[in-house]
Amino acid sequence: MKVLVTGGTSGLGLAMASALAAAGAAVALTGRSGRRATSVAAGLPGAVGVEMDVRDESSVAGAVEEAWSRLGGVDMPVNNAGVGMRTVNPRFMTHPQGFWEVPVAGFRAVIETNLTGYFLVAREVTPRMLAAGGGRIVNIAVSESTMHRAGFVPYGPSRAGSESLSRIMAADLRGTGVTVNLLLPGGPTATGMLPLDAVPEDRRFLDPSVMGPPIVWLASDDAAGVHDERIVAVDFDRRLRDRNVSR
């Protein structure tokens, strides 16, 4: 399996890229800094680093072409690159802002990364996968509570939009050989998006490694027919048991 993981230099992206590489997949991980992407990829077996700014159409096109060439194709793009509330309000966990206080430039930056970025990457890779006879798209999502929580503009709307985009992508691609699924941690996760020094001490966070087992499964033969599903990482073991029992 040849996998492209956007935003793969840290957080959930790095956790998924690491798990996939350890499972034997050929992985291309991207980051806005090509040097950092290459450095991180060097620590994973068989991985390559590619510079990509998901907000920029030409950058996405060039990065997909590079990844396709270096891996010999892409079977599964993982839309993960994103930015969080810290970009518009560093104290969002303790001092939430009303939507009317959010800077317009900050709103646009989050939407362009978290929503437009998913669209641009999928738009670039999908025709290639269709021509190759199939593929799998995985879009990283968040808990639904994030989408309507006070003080979460523009992050919440960006994630609601990317989830809607994913479901429509799945509808458009049904029966084509290209599958689309959503994957989310299932709770707050200890990544760079959270200001861990500004949250209650008793608040617990998931480790990014929770994303490893489900992303490896989504890349496996067992998941070949899985389409238009919303998979929650913390519930993955139970979901897999239930799935196997129902067969």
Side-chain angles (χ1 to χ4, degrees):
M1 182 65 72
K2 303 159 187 174
V3 186
L4 171 66
V5 181
T6 69
T9 61
S10 63
L12 301 184
L14 179 55
M16 291 186 289
S18 299
L20 287 161
V27 178
L29 60 85
T30 80
R32 290 185 188 177
S33 165
R35 179 176 297 179
R36 175 165 169 74
T38 298
S39 174
V40 172
L44 305 180
V48 298
V50 178
E51 182 174 329
M52 178 194 286
D53 183 344
V54 299
R55 303 168 299 177
D56 182 83
E57 185 178 350
S58 62
S59 176
V60 169
V64 168
E65 173 62 32
E66 180 180 348
W68 195 277
S69 175
R70 295 178 72 180
L71 297 183
V74 172
D75 302 308
M76 187 170 84
V78 180
N79 267 321
N80 166 78
V83 293
M85 280 300 302
R86 291 181 69 180
T87 60
V88 295
N89 178 14
R91 300 192 300 163
F92 72 95
M93 292 293 290
T94 54
H95 297 79
Q97 290 180 326
F99 67 88
W100 60 92
E101 300 175 288
V102 174
V104 172
F107 184 96
R108 287 179 172 151
V110 173
I111 296 295
E112 287 176 6
T113 303
N114 297 359
L115 176 55
T116 306
Y118 278 27
F119 165 70
L120 291 177
V121 172
R123 180 178 181 271
E124 188 64 33
V125 181
T126 298
R128 292 171 177 263
M129 293 192 297
L130 289 171
R136 310 176 190 189
I137 299 171
V138 178
N139 294 316
I140 303 307
V142 298
S143 300
E144 291 180 354
S145 60
T146 301
M147 302 176 194
H148 51 75
R149 180 176 175 179
F152 266 57
V153 168
Y155 185 72
S158 74
R159 289 310 194 187
S162 61
E163 184 148 338
S164 173
L165 173 67
S166 183
R167 298 300 303 275
I168 295 171
M169 285 165 53
D172 288 346
L173 288 167
R174 189 174 301 278
T176 65
V178 176
T179 61
V180 184
N181 292 286
L182 287 157
L183 173 62
L184 61 149
T189 311
T191 70
M193 288 190 180
L194 287 174
L196 299 181
D197 59 344
V199 296
E201 292 184 2
D202 59 349
R203 186 75 177 269
R204 294 185 178 181
F205 297 95
L206 299 172
D207 189 274
S209 63
V210 72
M211 301 290 276
I215 197 66
V216 169
W217 179 76
L218 282 167
S220 72
D221 291 342
D222 289 341
V226 177
H227 182 64
D228 198 17
E229 293 195 16
R230 191 174 196 270
I231 299 167
V232 182
V234 293
D235 296 330
F236 176 66
D237 288 342
R238 178 183 58 79
R239 181 191 185 100
L240 200 56
R241 287 195 301 268
D242 292 346
R243 189 182 193 92
N244 290 334
V245 168
S246 66
R247 287 181 174 178

